[in-house]
């Protein structure tokens, strides 16, 4: 496999995108694509915390199944 070393500027550009990136030559011809292989790191600060009231409300909702119950149902299909 061939490796290409990226300079700091290119690394930053790739790191700052969530979309696929097209690599083109000076004439605008497509050379290749870059797609991130791993998702960005999980940041729990981006997910709002649930209040105790919301937790109780969700736990009281009908239709909750354990993992074993779900697996048993899937095996029966």
């Amino acid at each position: 496999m061939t490796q290409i070393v990226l300079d700091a500027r290119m690394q930053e550009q790739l790191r700052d995108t969530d979309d696929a990136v097209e690599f083109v030559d000076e004439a605008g011809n497509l050379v290749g694509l870059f797609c991130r292989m791993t998702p960005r790191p999980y940041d729990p600060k981006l997910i709002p915390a649930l209040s105790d009231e919301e937790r109780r409300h969700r736990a009281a909702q009908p239709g909750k199944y354990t993992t074993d119950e779900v697996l048993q149902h899937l095996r029966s299909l």
Side-chain angles (χ1 to χ4, degrees), residues 10-60:
M10 181 68 69
Q11 290 177 47
E12 184 178 339
Q13 287 177 308
L14 293 174
R15 201 174 10 255
D16 289 344
T17 184
D18 289 324
D19 298 325
V21 176
E22 291 185 342
F23 286 94
V24 296
D25 62 17
E26 297 84 4
N29 299 309
L30 183 65
V31 174
L33 295 171
F34 168 80
C35 297
R36 187 177 303 283
M37 294 296 292
T38 57
R40 291 182 177 260
Y42 168 73
D43 186 353
K45 294 179 287 192
L46 299 176
I47 300 174
L50 296 178
S51 67
D52 289 340
E53 180 182 349
E54 179 64 19
R55 288 181 208 277
R56 284 191 295 275
H57 173 74
R58 289 183 182 194

Side-chain angles (χ1 to χ4, degrees), residues 65 67-77:
Y65 299 98
T67 301
D68 287 335
E69 290 171 328
V70 171
L71 291 173
Q72 183 178 7
H73 172 72
L74 291 173
R75 287 184 189 110
S76 72
L77 298 176

